[in-house]
Amino acid sequence: MSATTDTTQPGGTPATRTGATDPAPGNNLTGFTLTHDLIRRVIPELGRRLAGAAAAGSLDAAATKRLTGWWQMFTTILEGHHTSEDSHVWPVVLAAEPDLAGVARTLEEQHASLDEHLAGIDEGLRTLAAETGEREVVLTGLLARLAEFDALMHDHLRLEERTMVPVLREKVTAEAYRAMLASLALGHDPMDFVPTMPLLLEQAAPEAEEFMLGGMPPALRARYDAEFEPAYRALVASLPSG
């Protein structure tokens, strides 16, 4: 993949609203907005799928492991997104708007706190899959952790979207924005994130999907279409309903 490709980085490519037909003026933040939309969708979806399977009596070890695989695709995107923000995106924003330094520190501190919740959710899923401990107690704790994580993420995203995102879109120069994307691409192996992109793009509008996939080299795009996207569809079809 080209080092300057900015359309294949779910955690790092900052964009417009999912499904928007007319992009907002300024830098195109499609990947950024798709990721925020994904975060708002997937966290409560895991809770619904867990609760629904438990109510139906189908939350066995196999179902939990499939849900865990799906959730790990999401956490790969989320962790990449947060790492990219802290290491590449916020410095570019602060170069354009230094007064946001305090906000950037708050967001980085929140990332660390959110990581603790991710670890707790992973532990709950592992415990459920191992079928150790009292299942109802473990599930109740896990659902509570997910609800808290969801609320914290909503507050976190609102802060970003109120303060950092407008600067990223409208005040960062096109040249600085392109340089940021190129820098992000240099440090990534495509196989770190391309397999997760079917999840990221699951509810994307066609134009957003093409924006994200259009820069892939032909061989990688062919593999995505023939391997990663069908594998993701099969995984989703095997999950408890949510």
Side-chain angles (χ1 to χ4, degrees):
M1 182 189 314
S2 168
T4 59
T5 297
D6 68 359
T7 57
T8 54
Q9 296 197 56
T13 307
T16 58
R17 282 286 163 198
T18 305
T21 54
D22 297 315
N27 297 312
N28 188 317
L29 307 185
T30 297
F32 201 94
T33 302
L34 284 173
T35 304
H36 280 205
D37 291 345
L38 180 74
I39 292 166
R40 289 186 166 102
R41 174 170 62 86
V42 167
I43 298 170
E45 184 176 347
L46 176 62
R48 291 193 301 271
R49 289 184 183 277
L50 285 166
S58 60
L59 189 61
D60 57 12
T64 303
K65 288 177 181 176
R66 292 193 298 273
L67 276 171
T68 300
W70 176 77
W71 177 254
Q72 287 174 342
M73 293 179 72
F74 167 71
T75 60
T76 295
I77 296 171
L78 179 60
E79 290 168 355
H81 182 69
H82 284 171
T83 298
S84 297
E85 286 177 335
D86 292 343
S87 63
H88 290 79
V89 182
W90 300 159
V92 171
V93 170
L94 295 181
E97 190 61 75
D99 289 347
L100 289 175
V103 175
R105 286 193 297 271
T106 296
L107 292 170
E108 290 181 20
E109 291 167 359
Q110 290 177 349
H111 286 168
S113 175
L114 292 166
D115 286 345
E116 294 177 6
H117 282 277
L118 280 174
I121 292 166
D122 289 343
E123 181 180 359
L125 288 169
R126 286 195 303 270
T127 303
L128 279 180
E131 299 185 322
T132 59
E134 190 173 341
R135 173 170 289 271
E136 288 188 8
V137 172
V138 173
L139 178 60
T140 298
L142 178 55
L143 293 175
R145 171 81 79 167
L146 279 165
E148 184 177 1
F149 184 56
D150 189 35
L152 290 172
M153 280 299 322
H154 272 72
D155 289 343
H156 178 75
L157 295 179
R158 281 196 295 268
L159 178 59
E160 287 187 3
E161 291 165 356
R162 188 176 71 248
T163 59
M164 310 297 269
V165 170
V167 175
L168 184 63
R169 178 184 292 118
E170 298 160 15
K171 291 191 176 182
V172 170
T173 67
E175 181 181 8
Y177 190 75
R178 286 193 299 269
M180 180 194 73
L181 294 178
S183 179
L184 279 166
L186 283 172
H188 290 80
D189 181 339
M191 295 310 297
D192 290 340
F193 51 82
V194 171
T196 70
M197 290 191 72
L199 171 59
L200 180 71
L201 300 177
E202 187 171 19
Q203 295 187 11
E207 60 269 26
E209 181 176 10
E210 185 53 34
F211 176 83
M212 295 297 291
L213 298 177
M216 279 189 183
L220 185 58
R221 178 63 184 270
R223 188 175 178 191
Y224 177 88
D225 291 338
E227 179 181 344
F228 299 129
E229 208 277 341
Y232 176 72
R233 297 297 172 189
L235 173 63
V236 171
S238 75
L239 299 178
S241 62

